[in-house]
Every structure is written in structure tokens, then in C-alpha cells.
Amino acid sequence: MSVMKRLSMIFKSKANKALDKMEDPRETLDYSYQRQLELLQKVRRGVADVATSRKRVELQINQIEQQATRLEDQGRKALSVGREDLAREALTRRSSLQTQIADLRVQHDNLQAEEEKLTTASQRLQAKVDSFRHKKETIKATYTAAEAQTRINEAFSGISEEMGDVGLAIQRAEDKTAQMQARAGAIDELLASGALDDFSGSRTDDIQAELDRMGGGRDVELELARMKAELGQGSAPQPSIEQGQPQAQPQPQQQTQQLRQPGEPA
């Protein structure tokens, strides 16, 4: 096979595939039906033309027959008045008209036969067109239902182009959201550990964070001891100086002893 033939075959195959993808069976069926209607219209127009010609021949036959009848009457009148020459002329003309009538009758019969043939063909074509129309509508309805079912199935299965794009967009959004959440968590951890500086002014240093943690634990222990004391399971906790509790005041006797001078009797 030559290169040109191969190129021609490849081009034709590509074009056929593209046309097959672009072709809509419903449009093709409608176009075929329209062409059949046009053909049926032409056949009907042909039947009408033949019928018109047949009718015109019938009118000519009637006119010539009337002329032949009038010539026959003129011949008889001519004989009645003794004009045999006029009677012969009238009969001669009548004979010529009879020949024309015979030819017209043959033509009329041919036209009538052609009209009947075209009428039969028109009726058959009409039946085929009607049958094709019913079949066309059935095929179109079936194709439309199948197309709708296919689209519904593709939508449910997510294999359609639109649903595929939506699925990819959702996946990208979920990936970006997870990435941003991970980044935010990592930054929070770095800020808490002091690896990054917090310029917002709300960051505490590591020493203060440790003291806060210890203080929080001590408060829990004191609260637990107090609850045990209320339940009779232990003594109440003694408040510490750090908590700001007042120290025990000395008794009045102790204060008096403190005021005496050394060597004075008690």
C-alpha cells in the first residue's frame, strides 16, 4: 500500500470517527423522514400533473365531438336543400375530426393508466412514510430514554466529565484543608516550645510556663486535701505564706513577756 493510500485511509477513518461522534441518530432520522416527505410530495405533484393532462384531453375530446356532431347536422341540412357538395365537405371534415378523437382517446387511456400507476405508487409510498414515521418516533423515544438513563447512571457512578471535575475539586479542597490544619498545628507547637518567636505579645517564656504548671498542680493537691478533711479522712491543709494567708498572732501573755526587761520578776 502506498503512502498516499495510507494517508487517505487514515484521514477517512479519523473523519468517520469524528462524524460518528457528532452524529445524532434523532436528527438523522428526522432528515430521512423529511426527504421521504419531499419525495412523496413530488409523486403527488406528478399524479396531479397527469390528472390535469387527462382532464385537458377529455375536454378536447368533448369539444371535437361537438364539432363533429355540428358538421353532421350541417351535412344533413345541405342534402335536404340539394347541396350535395356541401354535405360531402361537412362529412369530410367530420371524418377528420373522428380521427383526432380516436388519437385523443388513445392518449387519454395512456394518461389514465399512468395516473393510476402513479396513484398506486403514491399510496404505497405514503404507507412506507407513515410506517417510517412511527418507527422513527419509537427509535427517537428509545434513544432519548437510553441517553437519559446513561446520564443518570454516569451521575450516580461519578464517571461523567462534570462529576469527575467536581470530585477532583472536592479532593483538592480536602487536601488543602488538611495541609493548612497540619501547618497550623505545627506552628502552634513551635510557638509553645519557643522555637518560634511570637510577636503578638501573648507568648510566655518557658520558665514562667513551668512555674504556672507547678502552681496549678499544687492547687489541685491543696483542694484534694481540703476535701479529705471535710470527709474526715485527714487534717485540713495549712495555708502557705506564698498564698497570702495571715500568720498566727501571738497571745497577750506572750506579748507581756516580750515587753518585760531582763532581770525583772515575772
Side-chain angles (χ1 to χ4, degrees):
M1 182 180 295
S2 63
V3 177
M4 295 302 298
K5 289 184 178 179
R6 290 183 61 186
L7 289 176
S8 177
M9 181 177 295
I10 292 174
F11 177 77
K12 290 180 180 179
S13 63
K14 295 291 185 181
N16 184 47
K17 185 177 181 180
L19 291 174
D20 184 68
K21 186 177 181 180
M22 295 173 57
E23 182 183 9
D24 189 343
R26 293 167 295 187
E27 296 178 354
T28 303
L29 290 173
D30 289 337
Y31 178 75
S32 299
Y33 179 69
Q34 185 65 31
R35 292 298 303 272
Q36 291 184 12
L37 288 179
E38 293 176 358
L39 179 60
L40 178 61
Q41 187 66 24
K42 289 181 180 180
V43 173
R44 288 178 175 175
R45 190 179 300 112
V47 173
D49 293 340
V50 172
T52 301
S53 299
R54 176 185 55 81
K55 191 66 177 178
R56 186 180 299 110
V57 171
E58 290 178 356
L59 293 175
Q60 291 178 358
I61 291 174
N62 292 332
Q63 292 177 357
I64 294 174
E65 286 180 345
Q66 292 176 1
Q67 294 177 6
T69 302
R70 186 171 59 255
L71 288 173
E72 183 179 359
D73 293 339
Q74 289 176 354
R76 289 181 180 181
K77 289 182 180 179
L79 285 176
S80 63
V81 295
R83 295 291 305 270
E84 183 177 351
D85 55 338
L86 291 177
R88 184 178 291 105
E89 181 64 23
L91 293 177
T92 301
R93 293 180 181 179
R94 180 177 178 276
S95 177
S96 177
L97 292 178
Q98 290 294 336
T99 303
Q100 293 181 16
I101 291 174
D103 294 338
L104 290 174
R105 289 189 182 278
V106 172
Q107 185 177 358
H108 177 271
D109 294 339
N110 293 332
L111 291 173
Q112 188 172 5
E114 186 67 21
E115 181 182 355
E116 292 177 355
K117 186 186 298 183
L118 290 176
T119 302
T120 302
S122 176
Q123 293 174 353
R124 292 179 178 177
L125 183 58
Q126 179 66 56
K128 289 183 178 180
V129 171
D130 293 339
S131 177
F132 180 80
R133 180 173 61 84
H134 294 304
K135 188 175 182 180
K136 172 181 72 73
E137 295 300 328
T138 302
I139 295 175
K140 286 176 61 178
T142 304
Y143 181 84
T144 302
E147 184 182 29
Q149 186 65 35
T150 302
R151 290 181 178 176
I152 292 173
N153 292 338
E154 289 180 351
F156 277 114
S157 61
I159 62 176
S160 63
E161 183 178 356
E162 293 81 2
M163 294 303 296
D165 294 340
V166 172
L168 290 176
I170 294 175
Q171 184 64 37
R172 288 194 299 269
E174 291 178 350
D175 294 341
K176 288 184 178 180
T177 301
Q179 183 179 0
M180 293 300 294
Q181 290 176 346
R183 183 178 179 85
I187 292 175
D188 289 339
E189 292 180 358
L190 293 174
L191 289 174
S193 63
L196 292 179
D197 294 332
D198 186 3
F199 296 100
S200 63
S202 61
R203 174 181 174 271
T204 58
D205 56 15
D206 53 350
I207 298 176
Q208 184 63 38
E210 183 65 20
L211 291 175
D212 292 341
R213 186 184 63 80
M214 294 175 62
R218 185 169 58 251
D219 293 340
V220 173
E221 294 296 332
L222 292 174
E223 183 67 19
L224 181 61
R226 187 185 62 78
M227 293 177 64
K228 288 182 179 181
E230 291 178 355
L231 297 174
Q233 297 180 0
S235 60
Q238 297 296 328
S240 62
I241 297 176
E242 294 178 359
Q243 293 178 337
Q245 297 293 334
Q247 296 182 357
Q249 298 294 329
Q251 298 296 327
Q253 185 178 0
Q254 294 177 354
Q255 293 179 358
T256 304
Q257 292 178 357
Q258 291 177 359
L259 294 174
R260 291 177 181 179
Q261 297 295 327
E264 292 182 358

